[in-house]
Amino acid sequence: MINLKNITLRRGVKVLLDGASVTLNPGEKVGLVGRNGAGKSSLFALLNGNLHEDAGEFFIPSQWRMGQVAQDMPETSQSATDFVVEGDTELNAARIEVAAAEATDDYDRMAHAYMALHDAGEHDAPSRAQALILGLGFKTTELENPVNSFSGGWRMRLQLARALMCPSDLLLLDEPTNHLDLDALVWLEAWLKKYEGTMVVISHDREFLDAVTNVTLHIDAAKLMRYGGNYSKFEDMRAEQMELQQNAFSKQQDKIAHLQKFIARFKAKASKAKQAQSRVKALDRMEKIAPLLNEADFTFEFAEPANLPNPMLSMTGVSFGYPAPEGSPPKTPPTVIVRNVSKSVLAGQRIGILGANGQGKSTLVKTIARDLEPLGGEVTEGRGLNIGYFAQQELDVLRPADNPLEHMIRMVKDMTASGKLGGQATREQDLRSFLGNFNFSGDMVKQAVGSMSGGEKARLVLCMLVWQRPNLLLMDEPTNHLDLATREALSMALNEFEGTVMLVSHDRALLRAVCDEFWMVSRGGVEPFDGDLDDYQKYLLDEAKRQRELAKEEARNQAPKAAAVVAAPVAAPAHSPDQIRQWKKALAAVEEKMATLNTEGTALEDKLSTNPHPSVIAETGKRLKLVNQELKTLEDQWLEYTTLLDL
């Protein structure tokens, strides 16, 4: 178990934990929650050994293996599969030991090395890694792509897959859902539910926490409070606790006031002096109940739109996608992702846009937002349409050297120049006040954006969006960097917004709270989804299974074609009878050799299962490794010859 007893933890002069104690039992799935800056990441650093306690006792079993997601952006030309396989630290150690043992004549060492390699899962490591990669949303065609060829978000998914690949007794996950779509999130939940070790996870996704945790650890006022249950259960118990504490505090304040009144009234009277003194002592001995300090609430609202065109926009036979890249050969066709969409967006609609990864959700939203041109058909906008667009990459367009006030001033100038400025107040003091509504007050309005957290940047983007008074909100994964309080504030603001909302999000709590209808982007089209989010989760799991089966079938079908491409340069344009006879003869020889090696391999595996002498294990393991390598070479030759004979 993990045991913290009277732990004090500091970062600089700030005390994050002060005499905190808690016990975490083996196999528990723990959600670590608390306001931003409370010390969640510092507690992680204590658990993984990067930070040491300043006082108190901290114990974690020394034999426990630890898995966690590396926070650095991987820079390597390794294939995605090889990169994730390397996350299996036990397998890596076993491979190194086999190579070292083979360089010696120590049969005992070789025997143990081969057995350790077998126990570490050498035989199925690539397939295990690829199952993780595909589950997190990659395509089968990307399994061998270099890690450097992927964007930052996808590389962080590979870091997550690498952490899951590592055998562990303790798994530490810090915001694992930030770079995931809903389909990958559903897969991750299913995987974590089967994880048998102890897990501690930081997340601002309440439904994710509800799904994968059974204990909640709350950091509050430099203390650790353990609650049995998931996040929703924690909220209920916390609310009850807060109510009880507030009632107890109020009663104690009444009692203190009564005692102080008695003391003040009778301390000067000799006949009452003893009673007054006893009440002074009682007051001193009283253990004061702390007043209830609620976490600071954050709320905001969207202003009433200046007008509400109906319909907001209409799409007739529209195709969505990307134009040919610059520098492409003439007449290179564009990449069409979604075709022939004919739909209207009406005033007041709350539309959740669903779809598996890569189906075109963001492409649809970008086109409606005018970031992309339609590739066909017609989009007709209602008169007075004012779009507010929160894009996944919106944080990237903020200027790191500028402060929030400078961002607001520049936005005012841009809207004035384009003639889109409405009746908003534009004086600097008005902009400062508006920023204050989003917790940018005092010196923060002059703080460089580059030094801000992801959550603070997201709040600034929300602030700028609200100021524009849109009547159509397009929001593509707006919660990626938002804490629970800000997500709750966004949910409430969207519910009260009088315009239209189109929302792409992996935050199911937000989708449930805001959307009353769903569009499904799938297989090149957009259709209404007849069901709720629970139905959609089931659909995603079924679709993932179907895609895996299709991928396997496609791989089987593509293998002969690939071999034909390799063999084609050495084959004559027309196959003479002599060539065919030679290929058949060669094929027969390969099949005979494969049969012999398969028989030998089976015999060697049977021999290893009898626990022979270490020297025998070493020799047998070495021979089995060579047999498997030779079989792989022969299988490639067999595929090549059978393909040639089928041409």
Side-chain angles (χ1 to χ4, degrees), residues 403-450:
N403 59 50
L405 183 59
E406 288 169 335
H407 278 83
M408 294 292 289
I409 291 171
R410 186 172 59 254
M411 182 177 64
V412 170
K413 290 179 179 177
D414 291 345
M415 292 184 68
T416 302
S418 63
K420 296 180 180 178
L421 191 65
Q424 300 97 316
T426 58
R427 294 180 308 151
E428 180 175 315
Q429 186 55 48
D430 296 325
L431 297 178
R432 284 176 176 269
S433 299
F434 198 83
L435 284 163
N437 295 332
F438 288 80
N439 288 352
F440 293 104
S441 55
D443 293 338
M444 279 199 76
V445 298
K446 290 296 186 74
Q447 180 182 337
V449 166

Coordinates of all heavy atoms in Angstrom, one line a residue, residues 403-450:
N403 N -0.1 40.7 -23.8 CA -0.9 40.4 -22.6 C -2.4 40.4 -22.9 O -2.8 40.7 -24.0 CB -0.6 41.4 -21.5 CG -0.9 42.9 -21.9 OD1 -1.9 43.1 -22.4 ND2 0.1 43.7 -21.7
P404 N -3.3 40.0 -22.0 CA -4.7 39.9 -22.3 C -5.3 41.2 -22.8 O -6.1 41.3 -23.7 CB -5.3 39.5 -21.0 CG -4.2 38.7 -20.3 CD -3.0 39.4 -20.7
L405 N -4.9 42.3 -22.2 CA -5.4 43.6 -22.6 C -5.0 43.9 -24.0 O -5.9 44.4 -24.8 CB -4.9 44.7 -21.6 CG -5.5 46.1 -21.9 CD1 -7.0 46.1 -21.8 CD2 -4.9 47.1 -20.9
E406 N -3.8 43.7 -24.4 CA -3.4 43.9 -25.8 C -4.1 43.0 -26.8 O -4.5 43.5 -27.9 CB -1.9 43.6 -25.9 CG -1.0 44.7 -25.2 CD 0.5 44.3 -25.1 OE1 0.8 43.1 -25.1 OE2 1.3 45.2 -25.0
H407 N -4.5 41.8 -26.4 CA -5.3 40.9 -27.2 C -6.7 41.5 -27.4 O -7.2 41.5 -28.6 CB -5.4 39.5 -26.6 CG -4.2 38.6 -26.9 ND1 -3.1 38.7 -26.1 CD2 -4.1 37.7 -27.9 CE1 -2.2 37.8 -26.6 NE2 -2.8 37.2 -27.6
M408 N -7.3 42.1 -26.4 CA -8.6 42.7 -26.5 C -8.6 43.9 -27.4 O -9.4 44.1 -28.2 CB -9.1 43.0 -25.1 CG -9.4 41.8 -24.2 SD -10.8 40.8 -24.8 CE -12.2 41.9 -24.4
I409 N -7.6 44.8 -27.2 CA -7.4 46.0 -27.9 C -7.3 45.7 -29.4 O -7.9 46.3 -30.3 CB -6.3 46.9 -27.4 CG1 -6.6 47.4 -26.0 CG2 -6.0 48.0 -28.4 CD1 -5.5 48.1 -25.3
R410 N -6.4 44.7 -29.7 CA -6.2 44.3 -31.1 C -7.5 43.8 -31.8 O -7.8 44.1 -32.9 CB -5.1 43.3 -31.3 CG -4.7 43.0 -32.7 CD -3.5 42.1 -32.8 NE -3.6 40.9 -32.1 CZ -3.0 40.6 -31.0 NH1 -2.3 41.5 -30.4 NH2 -3.2 39.4 -30.4
M411 N -8.3 43.0 -31.0 CA -9.5 42.5 -31.5 C -10.5 43.6 -31.8 O -11.2 43.6 -32.8 CB -10.1 41.5 -30.5 CG -11.4 40.8 -30.9 SD -12.1 39.6 -29.8 CE -12.4 40.7 -28.4
V412 N -10.6 44.6 -31.0 CA -11.4 45.7 -31.2 C -11.1 46.4 -32.5 O -11.9 46.8 -33.3 CB -11.4 46.7 -30.0 CG1 -12.1 48.0 -30.4 CG2 -12.0 46.1 -28.8
K413 N -9.8 46.6 -32.7 CA -9.3 47.3 -33.9 C -9.6 46.5 -35.2 O -10.1 47.0 -36.2 CB -7.8 47.5 -33.9 CG -7.4 48.6 -32.8 CD -5.8 48.7 -32.8 CE -5.4 49.8 -31.8 NZ -3.9 49.9 -31.7
D414 N -9.4 45.1 -35.1 CA -9.7 44.3 -36.2 C -11.2 44.3 -36.6 O -11.6 44.4 -37.7 CB -9.3 42.8 -35.9 CG -7.8 42.7 -35.9 OD1 -7.1 43.6 -36.4 OD2 -7.3 41.7 -35.4
M415 N -12.1 44.3 -35.5 CA -13.5 44.3 -35.8 C -14.0 45.6 -36.3 O -14.9 45.7 -37.1 CB -14.3 43.9 -34.5 CG -14.1 42.4 -34.1 SD -15.0 41.9 -32.7 CE -16.7 42.0 -33.3
T416 N -13.4 46.7 -35.8 CA -13.7 48.0 -36.3 C -13.3 48.2 -37.8 O -14.1 48.7 -38.6 CB -13.0 49.1 -35.5 OG1 -13.3 49.0 -34.1 CG2 -13.3 50.5 -36.0
A417 N -12.2 47.7 -38.1 CA -11.7 47.8 -39.5 C -12.6 46.9 -40.5 O -12.8 47.3 -41.6 CB -10.2 47.3 -39.6
S418 N -13.1 45.8 -40.0 CA -13.9 45.0 -40.8 C -15.4 45.3 -40.8 O -16.2 44.7 -41.5 CB -13.8 43.5 -40.4 OG -14.3 43.3 -39.1
G419 N -15.7 46.3 -40.0 CA -17.1 46.8 -39.9 C -18.0 45.8 -39.1 O -19.3 45.9 -39.2
K420 N -17.4 45.0 -38.3 CA -18.2 44.0 -37.5 C -18.5 44.4 -36.1 O -19.1 43.7 -35.3 CB -17.5 42.6 -37.5 CG -17.4 42.0 -38.9 CD -16.7 40.6 -38.8 CE -16.6 40.0 -40.2 NZ -15.8 38.7 -40.2
L421 N -18.0 45.6 -35.7 CA -18.1 46.0 -34.3 C -19.6 46.4 -34.1 O -20.2 47.2 -34.8 CB -17.2 47.2 -34.1 CG -17.0 47.6 -32.6 CD1 -16.3 46.5 -31.8 CD2 -16.2 48.9 -32.5
G422 N -20.1 45.8 -33.0 CA -21.5 46.1 -32.6 C -21.5 47.2 -31.6 O -20.8 48.2 -31.7
G423 N -22.4 47.1 -30.6 CA -22.5 48.1 -29.7 C -21.7 47.9 -28.4 O -22.0 48.5 -27.4
Q424 N -20.7 47.1 -28.5 CA -19.9 46.8 -27.3 C -19.0 48.1 -26.9 O -18.6 48.8 -27.7 CB -18.9 45.6 -27.5 CG -19.6 44.3 -27.9 CD -19.6 44.1 -29.4 OE1 -19.9 45.0 -30.1 NE2 -19.4 42.9 -29.8
A425 N -18.9 48.2 -25.6 CA -18.0 49.3 -25.0 C -16.6 49.0 -25.4 O -16.1 47.8 -25.2 CB -18.2 49.4 -23.5
T426 N -15.8 50.0 -25.8 CA -14.5 49.7 -26.3 C -13.4 50.5 -25.6 O -12.2 50.5 -26.0 CB -14.4 50.1 -27.8 OG1 -14.8 51.4 -28.0 CG2 -15.3 49.1 -28.6
R427 N -13.7 51.3 -24.6 CA -12.7 52.0 -23.8 C -11.8 51.0 -23.1 O -12.2 49.9 -22.8 CB -13.3 53.0 -22.8 CG -14.1 54.1 -23.4 CD -14.7 55.0 -22.3 NE -15.4 54.2 -21.3 CZ -15.5 54.5 -20.0 NH1 -14.9 55.6 -19.5 NH2 -16.2 53.7 -19.2
E428 N -10.6 51.4 -22.9 CA -9.6 50.5 -22.2 C -10.2 50.1 -20.8 O -10.1 48.9 -20.5 CB -8.3 51.2 -22.0 CG -7.2 50.3 -21.3 CD -5.9 50.9 -21.3 OE1 -5.4 51.4 -22.3 OE2 -5.2 50.7 -20.2
Q429 N -10.8 51.0 -20.1 CA -11.3 50.6 -18.8 C -12.5 49.6 -18.9 O -12.6 48.7 -18.1 CB -11.8 51.8 -18.0 CG -12.3 51.5 -16.6 CD -11.2 50.9 -15.8 OE1 -10.0 51.3 -15.8 NE2 -11.5 49.8 -15.1
D430 N -13.3 49.8 -20.0 CA -14.3 48.8 -20.2 C -13.7 47.4 -20.5 O -14.3 46.4 -20.1 CB -15.2 49.2 -21.4 CG -15.9 50.5 -21.1 OD1 -16.3 50.7 -19.9 OD2 -16.1 51.3 -22.0
L431 N -12.7 47.4 -21.3 CA -12.0 46.1 -21.6 C -11.4 45.5 -20.4 O -11.4 44.2 -20.2 CB -11.0 46.3 -22.7 CG -11.5 46.8 -24.1 CD1 -10.3 47.0 -25.0 CD2 -12.5 45.8 -24.7
R432 N -10.8 46.3 -19.5 CA -10.3 45.8 -18.3 C -11.4 45.2 -17.4 O -11.2 44.1 -16.8 CB -9.6 46.9 -17.5 CG -8.2 47.3 -18.0 CD -7.7 48.5 -17.2 NE -6.3 48.9 -17.6 CZ -5.2 48.4 -17.1 NH1 -5.3 47.5 -16.1 NH2 -4.0 48.8 -17.5
S433 N -12.5 45.8 -17.4 CA -13.6 45.3 -16.5 C -14.1 44.0 -17.1 O -14.4 43.1 -16.4 CB -14.7 46.4 -16.5 OG -14.3 47.6 -15.9
F434 N -14.2 44.0 -18.4 CA -14.7 42.7 -19.1 C -13.7 41.6 -18.8 O -14.1 40.5 -18.5 CB -14.8 42.9 -20.6 CG -15.7 41.9 -21.3 CD1 -17.0 42.1 -21.3 CD2 -15.1 40.8 -21.9 CE1 -17.9 41.1 -21.9 CE2 -15.9 39.9 -22.5 CZ -17.3 40.0 -22.5
L435 N -12.4 41.8 -18.9 CA -11.4 40.8 -18.6 C -11.5 40.4 -17.1 O -11.3 39.2 -16.8 CB -10.0 41.4 -18.8 CG -9.5 41.4 -20.3 CD1 -8.3 42.3 -20.4 CD2 -9.2 40.0 -20.8
G436 N -11.9 41.3 -16.2 CA -12.1 40.9 -14.8 C -13.2 39.9 -14.6 O -13.1 39.1 -13.7
N437 N -14.2 39.9 -15.5 CA -15.3 38.9 -15.4 C -14.7 37.5 -15.6 O -15.4 36.6 -15.2 CB -16.4 39.2 -16.4 CG -17.1 40.5 -16.1 OD1 -17.2 41.0 -15.0 ND2 -17.6 41.2 -17.2
F438 N -13.6 37.4 -16.3 CA -13.0 36.1 -16.5 C -11.7 35.9 -15.7 O -10.8 35.1 -16.1 CB -12.7 36.0 -18.0 CG -13.9 35.9 -18.9 CD1 -14.6 37.0 -19.2 CD2 -14.3 34.6 -19.3 CE1 -15.8 36.9 -20.0 CE2 -15.4 34.5 -20.1 CZ -16.2 35.6 -20.5
N439 N -11.7 36.5 -14.5 CA -10.7 36.4 -13.5 C -9.3 36.9 -14.0 O -8.3 36.4 -13.6 CB -10.5 34.9 -13.1 CG -11.7 34.4 -12.2 OD1 -12.5 35.3 -11.8 ND2 -11.7 33.2 -11.9
F440 N -9.3 37.8 -15.0 CA -8.1 38.5 -15.3 C -8.2 39.9 -14.7 O -8.7 40.9 -15.3 CB -7.9 38.7 -16.9 CG -7.7 37.3 -17.5 CD1 -8.8 36.7 -18.2 CD2 -6.5 36.7 -17.5 CE1 -8.6 35.5 -18.9 CE2 -6.3 35.5 -18.1 CZ -7.3 34.9 -18.8
S441 N -7.6 40.0 -13.5 CA -7.7 41.3 -12.8 C -6.3 41.7 -12.3 O -5.4 40.9 -12.3 CB -8.7 41.2 -11.6 OG -8.3 40.1 -10.8
G442 N -6.2 43.0 -11.9 CA -5.0 43.4 -11.3 C -3.8 43.3 -12.3 O -4.0 43.7 -13.5
D443 N -2.7 42.7 -11.9 CA -1.5 42.6 -12.8 C -1.7 41.6 -13.9 O -0.9 41.6 -14.9 CB -0.3 42.2 -11.9 CG 0.1 43.3 -10.9 OD1 -0.3 44.4 -11.2 OD2 0.8 42.9 -9.9
M444 N -2.7 40.7 -13.8 CA -2.9 39.7 -14.8 C -3.2 40.2 -16.2 O -2.9 39.6 -17.2 CB -3.9 38.6 -14.4 CG -3.4 37.6 -13.4 SD -4.5 36.1 -13.4 CE -4.0 35.3 -14.9
V445 N -3.8 41.4 -16.2 CA -4.2 42.0 -17.5 C -2.9 42.4 -18.3 O -3.0 42.6 -19.5 CB -5.2 43.2 -17.4 CG1 -6.5 42.7 -16.8 CG2 -4.5 44.3 -16.6
K446 N -1.8 42.5 -17.5 CA -0.6 42.9 -18.2 C 0.5 41.8 -18.2 O 1.6 42.0 -18.5 CB 0.0 44.2 -17.5 CG -0.7 45.5 -17.7 CD -0.7 45.9 -19.1 CE -1.4 47.2 -19.4 NZ -0.5 48.3 -18.9
Q447 N 0.0 40.6 -17.9 CA 0.9 39.4 -17.8 C 1.0 38.8 -19.2 O 0.0 38.6 -19.9 CB 0.4 38.4 -16.9 CG 1.3 37.1 -16.8 CD 0.7 36.1 -15.8 OE1 -0.1 36.4 -15.0 NE2 1.1 34.8 -16.0
A448 N 2.2 38.5 -19.7 CA 2.4 37.9 -21.0 C 1.7 36.6 -21.1 O 1.8 35.8 -20.2 CB 3.9 37.7 -21.3
V449 N 1.0 36.4 -22.2 CA 0.2 35.2 -22.3 C 1.1 33.9 -22.3 O 0.7 32.9 -21.9 CB -0.6 35.3 -23.6 CG1 -1.2 33.9 -24.0 CG2 -1.8 36.3 -23.5
G450 N 2.3 34.1 -22.9 CA 3.2 32.9 -22.9 C 3.5 32.4 -21.6 O 3.9 31.2 -21.5

